[in-house]
Amino acid sequence: MKYRSGKRNIKKAAAPIATAVFVIVAALFVWDVWIRNDAQELSADCEFHFIDVGQGDSTLIVTKDAAVLIDAGPTDAAETTARYIRRYTDCIDYMILTHPHEDHIGGAVKIINSLEVENVIMTDASNDVITFSRLIGVIEDSGVRVVEAQAGNTYDAGGIALQILAPLADLDDFNEYSVVTRVEYGNVSAIITGDAEEGSEELMLQTYTSGELDGDILKLGHHGSQTSSTSAFLAAVSPRWAVASCGRDNPYGHPHQQTLERARELKIPVLRTDEMGTIVFATDGEDVWLKDQ
């Protein structure tokens, strides 16, 4: 009798479990359909998306065949960042994490869990905060290939060419040790700087010619901080546009007035995510233009 009673209890318990599983599967189906219905077509061969993640950085470079993500924004924007990326791709060929600050790596766990990520490029810098520990755990569990960022290394993702420009020395500062990447698609290029500051910029100016540093688009270092984007570095890159990725009314005053003045003196327009939201450039590999949102 006890045995049969036990069996009856198992059957009764199985019903709500089955219902719960059905609800979860249905929710996932609805989520997938919603995402697919929200999918966006590219307006050109390649697009550069400076995603509005608030006070943080996340840049998506995408073609119909490949995608590269540089930084993943903060944890509090992780859901919207992952959802935005999935509108354009479900696979990231290379995720470059410039340095282990929360506003750059916070969304990476959600993205790795939500999309297929094939490679992660990052420095050997570690940070004993829970966000970094979670990230390392998820990377290890997922089996994502990890590549140490080293200046001079190059990678290709479906025509998106990546060259690691920095770090060039073991600078004792997370920001200065940021990965700096030159991204090329055809004859169009962008310099994505993470939070690199004056010390890293000076090393790049000493190491590379102006032709090796030039770019049509520059992501200003450290959200447009006065400690980055020196006049010499801005002149070497000589971009058609500079982008400041920063949060509305952020407590740091980014982008700083000194940085905006330097850009103004060189006639470089600065586009800001706190004012414009996500900023998108489109290119055919020869010309590049700001896409209407």
Side-chain angles (χ1 to χ4, degrees):
M1 289 295 294
K2 289 181 180 178
Y3 177 71
R4 288 196 296 269
S5 175
K7 286 188 74 175
R8 284 199 298 272
N9 289 338
I10 289 171
K11 287 180 181 178
K12 288 178 181 177
I17 291 172
T19 301
V21 170
F22 175 79
V23 170
I24 291 169
V25 171
L28 290 173
F29 175 77
V30 170
W31 169 262
D32 189 61
V33 169
W34 181 77
I35 286 289
R36 291 177 186 278
N37 288 340
D38 196 41
Q40 299 293 306
E41 293 290 333
L42 298 182
S43 64
D45 296 337
C46 179
E47 291 183 353
F48 293 76
H49 295 243
F50 295 86
I51 304 171
D52 179 13
V53 294
Q55 183 63 21
D57 270 17
S58 187
T59 304
L60 175 69
I61 304 99
V62 62
T63 70
K64 64 182 179 62
D65 299 317
V68 172
L69 185 71
I70 303 180
D71 284 330
T75 304
D76 61 11
E79 190 73 45
T80 54
T81 305
R83 188 184 310 137
Y84 183 92
I85 294 167
R86 281 202 64 190
R87 293 167 64 191
Y88 294 91
T89 184
D90 57 9
C91 178
I92 303 293
D93 295 87
Y94 288 96
M95 175 190 284
I96 301 175
L97 298 174
T98 62
H99 65 294
H101 277 159
E102 199 278 338
D103 58 326
H104 292 253
I105 65 169
V109 167
K110 179 67 179 179
I111 291 166
I112 292 171
N113 284 333
S114 302
L115 295 92
E116 179 183 353
V117 178
E118 296 187 349
N119 303 279
V120 170
I121 299 174
M122 58 195 300
T123 69
D124 58 355
S126 63
N127 193 352
D128 46 320
V129 295
I130 192 165
T131 304
F132 185 75
S133 298
R134 267 195 208 123
L135 170 62
I136 297 304
V138 168
I139 287 174
E140 290 174 348
D141 290 345
S142 68
V144 174
R145 176 173 172 256
V146 179
V147 181
E148 184 177 343
Q150 295 186 343
N153 284 2
T154 59
Y155 307 91
D156 180 83
I160 303 170
L162 307 171
Q163 180 185 3
I164 306 301
L165 299 177
L168 286 161
D170 191 9
L171 300 173
D172 190 23
D173 181 273
F174 283 146
N175 289 344
E176 291 283 42
Y177 201 53
S178 286
V179 181
V180 178
T181 309
R182 190 170 195 264
V183 184
E184 292 184 347
Y185 185 80
N187 293 322
V188 171
S189 60
I191 307 291
I192 313 296
T193 56
D195 278 358
E197 298 187 328
E198 185 175 359
S200 179
E201 291 177 359
E202 180 59 34
L203 286 174
M204 285 188 279
L205 289 170
Q206 294 172 9
T207 304
Y208 304 108
T209 66
S210 57
E212 292 171 314
L213 284 177
D214 69 346
D216 297 284
I217 306 162
L218 171 66
K219 203 288 298 180
L220 294 175
H222 201 183
H223 319 287
S225 168
Q226 62 185 338
T227 55
S228 302
S229 307
T230 62
S231 295
F233 190 72
L234 289 173
V237 178
S238 189
R240 292 173 61 180
W241 298 277
V243 175
S245 182
C246 52
R248 188 184 301 273
D249 299 322
N250 68 83
Y252 311 102
H254 295 152
H256 289 153
Q257 193 59 39
Q258 296 94 323
T259 303
L260 298 176
E261 288 292 341
R262 290 175 206 146
R264 191 175 298 118
E265 287 173 2
L266 293 168
K267 297 181 170 54
I268 301 169
V270 176
L271 311 181
R272 303 166 47 165
T273 58
D274 62 330
E275 294 180 343
M276 300 174 63
T278 296
I279 297 165
V280 182
F281 296 92
T283 178
D284 57 8
E286 293 297 332
D287 193 14
V288 60
W289 57 94
L290 183 63
K291 182 179 173 182
D292 292 334
Q293 293 294 294

